[in-house]
Amino acid sequence: MGQKLRGHTLPAEAACRDSMIDIGRDESVLILIKHCQDMKQQETRLRLITLILLLTCMALLIYTTSSGLRQHEESGSRGQGSAVEQRAPYSRQETLFPEDKQTRLRIHLRPPSPTNKTKMSDGQYFEWDVDFGKYYNEKTRAIVIPASGIYFVYVRITLSCHGEETQNLQLFSLRLRCWNERYTKQRQLTDAKDDVECTQDRSKSVFVGQLFDLNEGDHLSVWIEKGYKLIKTSSFGAFLV
């Protein structure tokens, strides 16, 4: 009995051992396949990392090149800008004082020379000679406004007794008047009054200066109401602000 059992047991043990060998071989194949898959994944990762590095290097190269070109262009534009800035004061000056274009008023008048001076008395418009500027009408004895705008108009007169006055207290009065060919009505912009004590050798200054909103074609004149003989020096002018 014992021998029969052992005879039956040996073939069973061999079959089991063979099956274990087959299982071991299958596991080896699975491990090899898994190893190959891992190698492929690592290779894919390496290729992806390499591609990212190449793209990064290309981006850095493009950025560096564009930055250099931008700096070169900015330096060139700054050079041109400095040249423009150097020309800017002249451009601004031409814009602020375009006398040649006859669009801006800057004029200063002084009393006429003895050779050009006509007989004057109270109740007349004061006569002037041009010190600098344009737009003075000798016939109307007026400054002509070339364009509408805000103007500063001034009149300065120094009064003094000349020894011909018979009274001690001498009165002086002037009016700054404006008229336009488009309108028939004459306007009085402002006036000034003062007096001079002739018992002593004294001088007195009368100054009128004010901003006015004037229209194109306005004529500005100084009307001497009283005291013309007291005028020692005088000036009259206007400019656009």
Side-chain angles (χ1 to χ4, degrees):
M1 292 293 291
Q3 293 177 354
K4 287 180 181 180
L5 290 170
R6 188 172 55 192
H8 287 288
T9 301
L10 291 172
E13 292 177 355
C16 182
R17 187 166 52 250
D18 292 336
S19 63
M20 290 177 66
I21 291 171
D22 293 335
I23 293 172
R25 289 177 179 175
D26 293 336
E27 289 179 354
S28 298
V29 172
L30 292 174
I31 291 172
L32 181 61
I33 292 173
K34 188 175 184 303
H35 180 69
C36 292
Q37 291 177 351
D38 293 338
M39 291 295 292
K40 288 182 178 180
Q41 290 180 356
Q42 290 180 0
E43 184 179 0
T44 303
R45 293 193 190 98
L46 289 174
R47 289 180 178 178
L48 182 61
I49 293 171
T50 303
L51 180 60
I52 293 173
L53 290 175
L54 287 174
L55 292 175
T56 304
C57 292
M58 290 179 64
L60 289 174
L61 180 62
I62 294 172
Y63 177 77
T64 304
T65 304
S66 61
S67 298
L69 292 175
R70 190 181 302 111
Q71 291 178 358
H72 180 71
E73 291 176 357
E74 289 177 355
S75 62
S77 63
R78 282 196 297 267
Q80 295 177 356
S82 61
V84 173
E85 290 176 357
Q86 291 177 358
R87 294 192 298 268
Y90 299 99
S91 299
R92 286 194 294 270
Q93 185 176 3
E94 292 175 0
T95 303
L96 291 176
F97 308 108
E99 288 284 345
D100 294 337
K101 298 179 181 180
Q102 296 189 1
T103 57
R104 185 179 181 91
L105 174 66
R106 292 178 66 247
I107 187 170
H108 182 77
L109 306 178
R110 53 179 170 78
S113 60
T115 56
N116 297 331
K117 188 174 182 181
T118 59
K119 186 176 181 180
M120 285 285 296
S121 61
D122 294 345
Q124 294 187 28
Y125 287 107
F126 199 86
E127 187 179 5
W128 305 96
D129 279 348
V130 177
D131 196 7
F132 65 83
K134 301 178 181 179
Y135 314 112
Y136 176 67
N137 190 323
E138 294 183 359
K139 183 178 180 180
T140 59
R141 301 179 181 179
I143 295 175
V144 183
I145 300 301
S148 301
I150 304 299
Y151 290 82
F152 183 77
V153 185
Y154 60 91
V155 181
R156 185 190 64 82
I157 292 179
T158 301
L159 305 177
S160 177
C161 297
H162 302 289
E164 300 178 359
E165 291 75 13
T166 59
Q167 298 179 0
N168 294 333
L169 188 64
Q170 299 293 322
L171 300 179
F172 176 80
S173 175
L174 70 82
R175 298 176 183 178
L176 179 61
R177 292 180 175 177
C178 174
W179 62 275
N180 196 308
E181 294 178 353
R182 302 176 184 177
Y183 313 102
T184 57
K185 186 176 179 180
Q186 189 180 72
R187 292 184 298 157
Q188 179 172 311
L189 299 180
T190 186
D191 62 352
K193 297 179 180 180
D194 210 329
D195 57 70
V196 179
E197 181 64 47
C198 291
T199 56
Q200 299 179 1
D201 187 11
R202 292 182 179 179
S203 297
K204 182 178 292 186
S205 295
V206 178
F207 180 81
V208 177
Q210 190 174 338
L211 292 172
F212 296 100
D213 187 5
L214 302 175
N215 298 318
E216 180 182 355
D218 283 348
H219 288 60
L220 307 180
S221 304
V222 178
W223 175 269
I224 304 299
E225 184 71 19
K226 193 172 185 179
Y228 172 79
K229 294 182 178 180
L230 299 174
I231 298 176
K232 183 177 181 181
T233 60
S234 59
S235 61
F236 177 36
F239 57 87
L240 180 65
V241 298

